[in-house]
Each structure stands twice: as C-alpha cells, then as structure tokens.
Amino acid sequence: MNGLSTILKRELRAYFATPVAYVFIVIFLVLAGVATFYMGGFYERGQADLEPFFQFHPWLYMFLIPAISMRLWSEERKAGTLELLLTLPVPLGAAVVGKFLAAWIFTAVALAGTLPLWLTVNYLGDPDNTVIFAGYLGSLLMAGGFLAIGACISALTKNQVIAFVVSFVICFAFNLSGFPMVIDMFSAWAPQAIVDVISSFSFLTHFNSIVKGVIDVRDVVFFATLIAFWLYANVLAIEINKSN
C-alpha cells in the first residue's frame, strides 16, 4: 500500500505541476456548460433538474478522458522512465492502480467544478437532490470505466496520439453498443445471446439508469468489473512489454 500511495502522490503532483491540468478542467467546464445551457435547453425545459447536464457526459468523456489517460504509460515508455519505475520496490499492480486512481481523482476534481450548477438548480427550484447525487455517482463510475480502458491502451504504445485515437474508438464502441442500429446489425446474423451480451456492454444503458436515480447493484457491478478487467489487462500489457 505504501507503494500505491507513493505512485498516487507522484502522479497527482505531475497533473497539477503543469498548466495542462488547468486547461483541461477549463475545457471540461466550458463544454459541459455549453452542452447544458445551449444544446440541452436548460432554461427552456422549465424543470429544476440536471438531466440535460448529465445526458452529454458519455460523449464529453469519450473525447476528454482519452486525453487524460493517453500519457499515463506512453509517456513513461517514450521517456525511458518505465524501466526505472519497474525497478522501484513497488508491485506492478500497485503502480497500475496508483496511476489509475490519480487520473480518477483528477477527473473527480474537474467534475467537482460543476457543483455550482447543482447549487443553481436548488436556487431556481426544488430538485430531487437524491437523483442529482446519483447522477454524479454514475458519472464518476463511467469516467472510471473510460480511464481504465485508456490506461490499458496507453500501456501498449509509446505514442500518445495513437493511445488517444485507439482509446477514443473503444470508448465510442462501448457508447454505441446499446444503440438500436448496432443491435439490429448483429440481430441479422448473430444468436440472441451474443446480441444481449453486446447490448449489456453499453455505457449509456447503465449510466442512464443511474442518472434517473435508480442505483441498481448490477450497474455498479458492471462498472466495477469493467474497471477491474481493464486494470488487469493493463498489468498484463506492462508485463509483456517488460519481458520484451
């Protein structure tokens, strides 16, 4: 655990030591605001809730989370510091989890920057704060899923641009997997069991359920399992790279 906390602190310091972190947070807040007030019709809806705010999160994260995760391991490999990191008395699993948690905390800080929206809704009306809390919880879980995918892909390449593009494509696939056009495409030739599995991987389906205030254990387990799977794949990717 000492190794994990060491990596965690090191990564968090790295995030906030450069202007890039603050630029990212500003971009996230601006895009979230534009999506909520203009595209989501926040005022025109006449309802005191944050539904238009949360409905754009899967698409914002699809672009922004790969930008956070692409440097996690690619930068270490390109700078030649991965070998040094692996010689430290820190278990590889702790290093992977430490880097992931640092990125997740950084994302949570960016998400916390939107809390004035929550206060605004309470000032304008009488929203169901339990539903809004569930929305923030779901958003954080979904961000963790995107980050775990991006971290694993980052471990496979030295090139941050490639890590970003591949992560984006995979995250896009997870978002789309529950869309009717995707389901219809597989229903034409695949058994129903496979179609159901593909549909069950949809981030949108699990996230939208939580945003409605229904915190189903199955949705939480889905994101937790997804994060664990990709972190394990991240460890394997580093092990393979080390053996080569």
Side-chain angles (χ1 to χ4, degrees):
M1 292 301 290
N2 288 334
L4 190 152
S5 63
T6 301
I7 297 295
L8 176 59
K9 292 175 184 174
R10 169 182 177 265
E11 290 296 315
L12 279 177
R13 278 197 300 270
Y15 276 116
F16 292 101
T18 66
V20 176
Y22 305 100
V23 171
F24 172 86
I25 291 174
V26 169
I27 291 174
F28 172 72
L29 295 179
V30 169
L31 291 179
V34 169
T36 302
F37 290 102
Y38 293 97
M39 299 169 66
F42 180 78
Y43 290 114
E44 290 79 0
R45 294 174 68 251
Q47 298 182 30
D49 60 31
L50 286 182
E51 183 181 340
F53 167 66
F54 288 118
Q55 70 179 352
F56 290 101
H57 279 207
W59 309 106
L60 287 179
Y61 287 163
M62 192 176 68
F63 287 97
L64 298 178
I65 295 294
I68 298 175
S69 61
M70 67 182 185
R71 57 165 290 277
L72 285 175
W73 293 101
S74 297
E75 191 173 79
E76 300 275 10
R77 292 186 62 182
K78 186 176 181 181
T81 54
L82 179 59
E83 291 76 10
L84 177 62
L85 177 65
L86 296 177
T87 60
L88 297 176
V90 178
L92 179 55
V96 169
V97 174
K99 279 179 170 285
F100 166 77
L101 287 179
W104 207 6
I105 291 172
F106 174 70
T107 307
V109 171
L111 188 60
T114 65
L115 289 179
L117 271 177
W118 193 348
L119 298 176
T120 301
V121 170
N122 274 274
Y123 175 76
L124 294 175
D126 185 24
D128 187 336
N129 286 310
T130 304
V131 173
I132 295 177
F133 174 78
Y136 272 99
L137 177 64
S139 179
L140 201 55
L141 284 171
M142 184 173 59
F146 282 138
L147 277 173
I149 292 171
C152 179
I153 301 304
S154 176
L156 295 171
T157 176
K158 295 179 181 178
N159 191 313
Q160 293 190 28
V161 175
I162 293 176
F164 174 86
V165 172
V166 175
S167 299
F168 169 81
V169 170
I170 295 176
C171 292
F172 188 49
F174 270 98
N175 268 353
L176 282 188
S177 63
F179 268 44
M181 64 177 183
V182 176
I183 299 302
D184 291 343
M185 183 176 67
F186 282 95
S187 297
W189 58 272
Q192 186 58 40
I194 293 179
V195 175
D196 291 341
V197 169
I198 293 172
S199 177
S200 69
F201 281 121
S202 170
F203 275 24
L204 295 178
T205 303
H206 295 282
F207 176 63
N208 289 336
S209 176
I210 298 176
V211 166
K212 291 174 183 173
V214 182
I215 303 179
D216 192 318
V217 174
R218 289 171 295 183
D219 296 322
V220 177
V221 169
F222 167 77
F223 284 115
T225 305
L226 186 91
I227 291 170
F229 170 82
W230 283 97
L231 290 183
Y232 179 66
N234 193 160
V235 172
L236 292 181
I238 300 294
E239 289 282 8
I240 293 171
N241 178 64
K242 188 168 62 173
S243 64
N244 290 335

PDB file of all heavy atoms in Angstrom, residues 62-63 65-71 74 149-150 153-154 157 159-173:
ATOM      1  N   MET A  62     -15.940  10.677 -23.814  1.00  0.00           N
ATOM      2  CA  MET A  62     -15.391   9.921 -24.942  1.00  0.00           C
ATOM      3  C   MET A  62     -14.222  10.682 -25.578  1.00  0.00           C
ATOM      4  O   MET A  62     -13.260  10.081 -26.051  1.00  0.00           O
ATOM      5  CB  MET A  62     -16.506   9.697 -25.959  1.00  0.00           C
ATOM      6  CG  MET A  62     -16.196   8.705 -27.048  1.00  0.00           C
ATOM      7  SD  MET A  62     -17.658   8.478 -28.071  1.00  0.00           S
ATOM      8  CE  MET A  62     -17.779  10.095 -28.872  1.00  0.00           C
ATOM      9  N   PHE A  63     -14.281  12.018 -25.564  1.00  0.00           N
ATOM     10  CA  PHE A  63     -13.201  12.842 -26.108  1.00  0.00           C
ATOM     11  C   PHE A  63     -12.167  13.208 -25.038  1.00  0.00           C
ATOM     12  O   PHE A  63     -10.953  13.181 -25.297  1.00  0.00           O
ATOM     13  CB  PHE A  63     -13.768  14.140 -26.705  1.00  0.00           C
ATOM     14  CG  PHE A  63     -14.499  13.960 -27.997  1.00  0.00           C
ATOM     15  CD1 PHE A  63     -15.879  13.857 -28.016  1.00  0.00           C
ATOM     16  CD2 PHE A  63     -13.814  13.883 -29.198  1.00  0.00           C
ATOM     17  CE1 PHE A  63     -16.560  13.680 -29.202  1.00  0.00           C
ATOM     18  CE2 PHE A  63     -14.481  13.707 -30.394  1.00  0.00           C
ATOM     19  CZ  PHE A  63     -15.866  13.608 -30.393  1.00  0.00           C
ATOM     20  N   ILE A  65     -11.613  11.995 -21.691  1.00  0.00           N
ATOM     21  CA  ILE A  65     -10.924  11.005 -20.855  1.00  0.00           C
ATOM     22  C   ILE A  65      -9.702  10.406 -21.560  1.00  0.00           C
ATOM     23  O   ILE A  65      -8.634  10.264 -20.943  1.00  0.00           O
ATOM     24  CB  ILE A  65     -11.891   9.892 -20.410  1.00  0.00           C
ATOM     25  CG1 ILE A  65     -12.981  10.484 -19.498  1.00  0.00           C
ATOM     26  CG2 ILE A  65     -11.138   8.781 -19.693  1.00  0.00           C
ATOM     27  CD1 ILE A  65     -12.502  11.015 -18.180  1.00  0.00           C
ATOM     28  N   PRO A  66      -9.789  10.051 -22.859  1.00  0.00           N
ATOM     29  CA  PRO A  66      -8.570   9.557 -23.528  1.00  0.00           C
ATOM     30  C   PRO A  66      -7.432  10.573 -23.499  1.00  0.00           C
ATOM     31  O   PRO A  66      -6.257  10.198 -23.512  1.00  0.00           O
ATOM     32  CB  PRO A  66      -9.050   9.282 -24.957  1.00  0.00           C
ATOM     33  CG  PRO A  66     -10.492   8.964 -24.816  1.00  0.00           C
ATOM     34  CD  PRO A  66     -10.979   9.879 -23.725  1.00  0.00           C
ATOM     35  N   ALA A  67      -7.790  11.885 -23.452  1.00  0.00           N
ATOM     36  CA  ALA A  67      -6.747  12.918 -23.379  1.00  0.00           C
ATOM     37  C   ALA A  67      -6.022  12.869 -22.028  1.00  0.00           C
ATOM     38  O   ALA A  67      -4.841  13.212 -21.938  1.00  0.00           O
ATOM     39  CB  ALA A  67      -7.376  14.298 -23.588  1.00  0.00           C
ATOM     40  N   ILE A  68      -6.735  12.448 -20.984  1.00  0.00           N
ATOM     41  CA  ILE A  68      -6.102  12.306 -19.664  1.00  0.00           C
ATOM     42  C   ILE A  68      -5.267  11.034 -19.605  1.00  0.00           C
ATOM     43  O   ILE A  68      -4.142  11.026 -19.117  1.00  0.00           O
ATOM     44  CB  ILE A  68      -7.172  12.259 -18.549  1.00  0.00           C
ATOM     45  CG1 ILE A  68      -7.975  13.556 -18.500  1.00  0.00           C
ATOM     46  CG2 ILE A  68      -6.525  11.999 -17.190  1.00  0.00           C
ATOM     47  CD1 ILE A  68      -9.116  13.516 -17.501  1.00  0.00           C
ATOM     48  N   SER A  69      -5.835   9.951 -20.101  1.00  0.00           N
ATOM     49  CA  SER A  69      -5.203   8.642 -19.926  1.00  0.00           C
ATOM     50  C   SER A  69      -4.059   8.370 -20.894  1.00  0.00           C
ATOM     51  O   SER A  69      -3.214   7.500 -20.621  1.00  0.00           O
ATOM     52  CB  SER A  69      -6.259   7.536 -20.062  1.00  0.00           C
ATOM     53  OG  SER A  69      -6.846   7.574 -21.349  1.00  0.00           O
ATOM     54  N   MET A  70      -3.992   9.092 -22.012  1.00  0.00           N
ATOM     55  CA  MET A  70      -3.013   8.734 -23.043  1.00  0.00           C
ATOM     56  C   MET A  70      -1.572   8.853 -22.570  1.00  0.00           C
ATOM     57  O   MET A  70      -0.676   8.191 -23.083  1.00  0.00           O
ATOM     58  CB  MET A  70      -3.235   9.601 -24.290  1.00  0.00           C
ATOM     59  CG  MET A  70      -2.926  11.076 -24.104  1.00  0.00           C
ATOM     60  SD  MET A  70      -3.266  12.021 -25.610  1.00  0.00           S
ATOM     61  CE  MET A  70      -2.662  13.643 -25.115  1.00  0.00           C
ATOM     62  N   ARG A  71      -1.332   9.709 -21.567  1.00  0.00           N
ATOM     63  CA  ARG A  71       0.038   9.932 -21.117  1.00  0.00           C
ATOM     64  C   ARG A  71       0.455   8.978 -19.988  1.00  0.00           C
ATOM     65  O   ARG A  71       1.650   8.883 -19.677  1.00  0.00           O
ATOM     66  CB  ARG A  71       0.203  11.364 -20.603  1.00  0.00           C
ATOM     67  CG  ARG A  71      -0.748  11.737 -19.481  1.00  0.00           C
ATOM     68  CD  ARG A  71      -0.341  12.995 -18.759  1.00  0.00           C
ATOM     69  NE  ARG A  71       0.856  12.789 -17.972  1.00  0.00           N
ATOM     70  CZ  ARG A  71       0.852  12.253 -16.754  1.00  0.00           C
ATOM     71  NH1 ARG A  71      -0.285  11.843 -16.206  1.00  0.00           N
ATOM     72  NH2 ARG A  71       1.961  12.100 -16.075  1.00  0.00           N
ATOM     73  N   SER A  74       2.307   5.780 -21.821  1.00  0.00           N
ATOM     74  CA  SER A  74       3.031   6.113 -23.053  1.00  0.00           C
ATOM     75  C   SER A  74       4.194   7.056 -22.771  1.00  0.00           C
ATOM     76  O   SER A  74       5.292   6.902 -23.327  1.00  0.00           O
ATOM     77  CB  SER A  74       2.080   6.770 -24.067  1.00  0.00           C
ATOM     78  OG  SER A  74       1.064   5.881 -24.439  1.00  0.00           O
ATOM     79  N   ILE A 149      -9.892   1.869 -19.502  1.00  0.00           N
ATOM     80  CA  ILE A 149      -9.649   1.496 -20.895  1.00  0.00           C
ATOM     81  C   ILE A 149      -8.464   2.286 -21.450  1.00  0.00           C
ATOM     82  O   ILE A 149      -7.532   1.729 -22.040  1.00  0.00           O
ATOM     83  CB  ILE A 149     -10.916   1.768 -21.748  1.00  0.00           C
ATOM     84  CG1 ILE A 149     -12.036   0.822 -21.344  1.00  0.00           C
ATOM     85  CG2 ILE A 149     -10.605   1.615 -23.242  1.00  0.00           C
ATOM     86  CD1 ILE A 149     -13.376   1.164 -21.963  1.00  0.00           C
ATOM     87  N   GLY A 150      -8.486   3.596 -21.240  1.00  0.00           N
ATOM     88  CA  GLY A 150      -7.422   4.455 -21.764  1.00  0.00           C
ATOM     89  C   GLY A 150      -6.060   4.126 -21.177  1.00  0.00           C
ATOM     90  O   GLY A 150      -5.045   4.161 -21.877  1.00  0.00           O
ATOM     91  N   ILE A 153      -4.703   0.967 -22.891  1.00  0.00           N
ATOM     92  CA  ILE A 153      -4.242   1.244 -24.247  1.00  0.00           C
ATOM     93  C   ILE A 153      -2.932   2.031 -24.209  1.00  0.00           C
ATOM     94  O   ILE A 153      -2.027   1.816 -25.026  1.00  0.00           O
ATOM     95  CB  ILE A 153      -5.314   2.030 -25.037  1.00  0.00           C
ATOM     96  CG1 ILE A 153      -6.617   1.231 -25.100  1.00  0.00           C
ATOM     97  CG2 ILE A 153      -4.813   2.335 -26.445  1.00  0.00           C
ATOM     98  CD1 ILE A 153      -6.478  -0.149 -25.688  1.00  0.00           C
ATOM     99  N   SER A 154      -2.801   2.948 -23.257  1.00  0.00           N
ATOM    100  CA  SER A 154      -1.580   3.743 -23.125  1.00  0.00           C
ATOM    101  C   SER A 154      -0.365   2.860 -22.843  1.00  0.00           C
ATOM    102  O   SER A 154       0.750   3.198 -23.237  1.00  0.00           O
ATOM    103  CB  SER A 154      -1.761   4.775 -22.002  1.00  0.00           C
ATOM    104  OG  SER A 154      -0.581   5.490 -21.777  1.00  0.00           O
ATOM    105  N   THR A 157       1.536   1.346 -26.143  1.00  0.00           N
ATOM    106  CA  THR A 157       2.237   2.136 -27.159  1.00  0.00           C
ATOM    107  C   THR A 157       3.029   3.285 -26.537  1.00  0.00           C
ATOM    108  O   THR A 157       2.673   3.787 -25.468  1.00  0.00           O
ATOM    109  CB  THR A 157       1.229   2.718 -28.181  1.00  0.00           C
ATOM    110  OG1 THR A 157       1.922   3.565 -29.099  1.00  0.00           O
ATOM    111  CG2 THR A 157       0.151   3.509 -27.492  1.00  0.00           C
ATOM    112  N   ASN A 159       3.399   6.016 -28.317  1.00  0.00           N
ATOM    113  CA  ASN A 159       2.853   7.186 -28.991  1.00  0.00           C
ATOM    114  C   ASN A 159       1.533   7.618 -28.340  1.00  0.00           C
ATOM    115  O   ASN A 159       0.539   6.886 -28.380  1.00  0.00           O
ATOM    116  CB  ASN A 159       2.635   6.855 -30.473  1.00  0.00           C
ATOM    117  CG  ASN A 159       2.316   8.075 -31.286  1.00  0.00           C
ATOM    118  OD1 ASN A 159       1.480   8.888 -30.907  1.00  0.00           O
ATOM    119  ND2 ASN A 159       3.010   8.232 -32.405  1.00  0.00           N
ATOM    120  N   GLN A 160       1.518   8.820 -27.767  1.00  0.00           N
ATOM    121  CA  GLN A 160       0.318   9.284 -27.063  1.00  0.00           C
ATOM    122  C   GLN A 160      -0.847   9.529 -28.023  1.00  0.00           C
ATOM    123  O   GLN A 160      -2.007   9.350 -27.648  1.00  0.00           O
ATOM    124  CB  GLN A 160       0.630  10.566 -26.293  1.00  0.00           C
ATOM    125  CG  GLN A 160       1.611  10.359 -25.146  1.00  0.00           C
ATOM    126  CD  GLN A 160       1.726  11.574 -24.254  1.00  0.00           C
ATOM    127  OE1 GLN A 160       0.809  12.364 -24.123  1.00  0.00           O
ATOM    128  NE2 GLN A 160       2.874  11.729 -23.618  1.00  0.00           N
ATOM    129  N   VAL A 161      -0.549   9.935 -29.249  1.00  0.00           N
ATOM    130  CA  VAL A 161      -1.612  10.179 -30.220  1.00  0.00           C
ATOM    131  C   VAL A 161      -2.322   8.866 -30.565  1.00  0.00           C
ATOM    132  O   VAL A 161      -3.558   8.800 -30.629  1.00  0.00           O
ATOM    133  CB  VAL A 161      -1.049  10.837 -31.501  1.00  0.00           C
ATOM    134  CG1 VAL A 161      -2.151  10.983 -32.552  1.00  0.00           C
ATOM    135  CG2 VAL A 161      -0.449  12.191 -31.177  1.00  0.00           C
ATOM    136  N   ILE A 162      -1.515   7.814 -30.764  1.00  0.00           N
ATOM    137  CA  ILE A 162      -2.114   6.505 -31.051  1.00  0.00           C
ATOM    138  C   ILE A 162      -2.940   6.045 -29.858  1.00  0.00           C
ATOM    139  O   ILE A 162      -4.051   5.514 -30.017  1.00  0.00           O
ATOM    140  CB  ILE A 162      -1.006   5.479 -31.382  1.00  0.00           C
ATOM    141  CG1 ILE A 162      -0.336   5.853 -32.706  1.00  0.00           C
ATOM    142  CG2 ILE A 162      -1.576   4.072 -31.452  1.00  0.00           C
ATOM    143  CD1 ILE A 162       0.827   4.959 -33.076  1.00  0.00           C
ATOM    144  N   ALA A 163      -2.420   6.247 -28.651  1.00  0.00           N
ATOM    145  CA  ALA A 163      -3.163   5.859 -27.445  1.00  0.00           C
ATOM    146  C   ALA A 163      -4.491   6.597 -27.377  1.00  0.00           C
ATOM    147  O   ALA A 163      -5.531   6.011 -27.035  1.00  0.00           O
ATOM    148  CB  ALA A 163      -2.323   6.161 -26.201  1.00  0.00           C
ATOM    149  N   PHE A 164      -4.479   7.889 -27.727  1.00  0.00           N
ATOM    150  CA  PHE A 164      -5.715   8.680 -27.698  1.00  0.00           C
ATOM    151  C   PHE A 164      -6.726   8.152 -28.710  1.00  0.00           C
ATOM    152  O   PHE A 164      -7.900   7.930 -28.381  1.00  0.00           O
ATOM    153  CB  PHE A 164      -5.391  10.150 -27.992  1.00  0.00           C
ATOM    154  CG  PHE A 164      -6.610  11.025 -28.121  1.00  0.00           C
ATOM    155  CD1 PHE A 164      -7.198  11.594 -26.998  1.00  0.00           C
ATOM    156  CD2 PHE A 164      -7.195  11.253 -29.369  1.00  0.00           C
ATOM    157  CE1 PHE A 164      -8.333  12.378 -27.111  1.00  0.00           C
ATOM    158  CE2 PHE A 164      -8.333  12.041 -29.488  1.00  0.00           C
ATOM    159  CZ  PHE A 164      -8.898  12.605 -28.355  1.00  0.00           C
ATOM    160  N   VAL A 165      -6.272   7.941 -29.939  1.00  0.00           N
ATOM    161  CA  VAL A 165      -7.193   7.534 -31.016  1.00  0.00           C
ATOM    162  C   VAL A 165      -7.800   6.153 -30.722  1.00  0.00           C
ATOM    163  O   VAL A 165      -9.017   5.957 -30.840  1.00  0.00           O
ATOM    164  CB  VAL A 165      -6.465   7.524 -32.372  1.00  0.00           C
ATOM    165  CG1 VAL A 165      -7.361   6.921 -33.459  1.00  0.00           C
ATOM    166  CG2 VAL A 165      -6.050   8.934 -32.761  1.00  0.00           C
ATOM    167  N   VAL A 166      -6.958   5.194 -30.329  1.00  0.00           N
ATOM    168  CA  VAL A 166      -7.462   3.839 -30.067  1.00  0.00           C
ATOM    169  C   VAL A 166      -8.419   3.850 -28.873  1.00  0.00           C
ATOM    170  O   VAL A 166      -9.478   3.206 -28.892  1.00  0.00           O
ATOM    171  CB  VAL A 166      -6.290   2.868 -29.817  1.00  0.00           C
ATOM    172  CG1 VAL A 166      -6.818   1.487 -29.428  1.00  0.00           C
ATOM    173  CG2 VAL A 166      -5.412   2.764 -31.056  1.00  0.00           C
ATOM    174  N   SER A 167      -8.066   4.600 -27.830  1.00  0.00           N
ATOM    175  CA  SER A 167      -8.951   4.699 -26.656  1.00  0.00           C
ATOM    176  C   SER A 167     -10.287   5.309 -27.056  1.00  0.00           C
ATOM    177  O   SER A 167     -11.349   4.849 -26.617  1.00  0.00           O
ATOM    178  CB  SER A 167      -8.301   5.549 -25.566  1.00  0.00           C
ATOM    179  OG  SER A 167      -7.096   4.981 -25.144  1.00  0.00           O
ATOM    180  N   PHE A 168     -10.228   6.356 -27.876  1.00  0.00           N
ATOM    181  CA  PHE A 168     -11.456   7.011 -28.336  1.00  0.00           C
ATOM    182  C   PHE A 168     -12.350   6.012 -29.081  1.00  0.00           C
ATOM    183  O   PHE A 168     -13.564   5.951 -28.848  1.00  0.00           O
ATOM    184  CB  PHE A 168     -11.109   8.186 -29.250  1.00  0.00           C
ATOM    185  CG  PHE A 168     -12.283   8.770 -29.978  1.00  0.00           C
ATOM    186  CD1 PHE A 168     -13.130   9.673 -29.351  1.00  0.00           C
ATOM    187  CD2 PHE A 168     -12.550   8.404 -31.297  1.00  0.00           C
ATOM    188  CE1 PHE A 168     -14.220  10.204 -30.024  1.00  0.00           C
ATOM    189  CE2 PHE A 168     -13.642   8.928 -31.969  1.00  0.00           C
ATOM    190  CZ  PHE A 168     -14.475   9.834 -31.334  1.00  0.00           C
ATOM    191  N   VAL A 169     -11.755   5.228 -29.971  1.00  0.00           N
ATOM    192  CA  VAL A 169     -12.534   4.269 -30.764  1.00  0.00           C
ATOM    193  C   VAL A 169     -13.198   3.225 -29.854  1.00  0.00           C
ATOM    194  O   VAL A 169     -14.385   2.897 -30.013  1.00  0.00           O
ATOM    195  CB  VAL A 169     -11.628   3.579 -31.808  1.00  0.00           C
ATOM    196  CG1 VAL A 169     -12.366   2.418 -32.476  1.00  0.00           C
ATOM    197  CG2 VAL A 169     -11.169   4.577 -32.858  1.00  0.00           C
ATOM    198  N   ILE A 170     -12.437   2.713 -28.875  1.00  0.00           N
ATOM    199  CA  ILE A 170     -13.006   1.700 -27.976  1.00  0.00           C
ATOM    200  C   ILE A 170     -14.117   2.301 -27.114  1.00  0.00           C
ATOM    201  O   ILE A 170     -15.179   1.694 -26.925  1.00  0.00           O
ATOM    202  CB  ILE A 170     -11.898   1.091 -27.092  1.00  0.00           C
ATOM    203  CG1 ILE A 170     -10.898   0.324 -27.969  1.00  0.00           C
ATOM    204  CG2 ILE A 170     -12.494   0.166 -26.043  1.00  0.00           C
ATOM    205  CD1 ILE A 170      -9.718  -0.227 -27.202  1.00  0.00           C
ATOM    206  N   CYS A 171     -13.876   3.508 -26.600  1.00  0.00           N
ATOM    207  CA  CYS A 171     -14.909   4.173 -25.786  1.00  0.00           C
ATOM    208  C   CYS A 171     -16.155   4.444 -26.629  1.00  0.00           C
ATOM    209  O   CYS A 171     -17.294   4.308 -26.152  1.00  0.00           O
ATOM    210  CB  CYS A 171     -14.373   5.480 -25.210  1.00  0.00           C
ATOM    211  SG  CYS A 171     -13.077   5.263 -23.972  1.00  0.00           S
ATOM    212  N   PHE A 172     -15.944   4.831 -27.878  1.00  0.00           N
ATOM    213  CA  PHE A 172     -17.066   5.066 -28.800  1.00  0.00           C
ATOM    214  C   PHE A 172     -17.865   3.781 -28.989  1.00  0.00           C
ATOM    215  O   PHE A 172     -19.113   3.793 -28.992  1.00  0.00           O
ATOM    216  CB  PHE A 172     -16.516   5.577 -30.129  1.00  0.00           C
ATOM    217  CG  PHE A 172     -17.564   6.034 -31.103  1.00  0.00           C
ATOM    218  CD1 PHE A 172     -18.572   6.909 -30.713  1.00  0.00           C
ATOM    219  CD2 PHE A 172     -17.539   5.608 -32.425  1.00  0.00           C
ATOM    220  CE1 PHE A 172     -19.541   7.335 -31.616  1.00  0.00           C
ATOM    221  CE2 PHE A 172     -18.503   6.032 -33.329  1.00  0.00           C
ATOM    222  CZ  PHE A 172     -19.503   6.893 -32.926  1.00  0.00           C
ATOM    223  N   ALA A 173     -17.159   2.666 -29.136  1.00  0.00           N
ATOM    224  CA  ALA A 173     -17.829   1.376 -29.317  1.00  0.00           C
ATOM    225  C   ALA A 173     -18.655   1.016 -28.083  1.00  0.00           C
ATOM    226  O   ALA A 173     -19.780   0.515 -28.198  1.00  0.00           O
ATOM    227  CB  ALA A 173     -16.792   0.282 -29.599  1.00  0.00           C
TER     228      ALA A 173
END
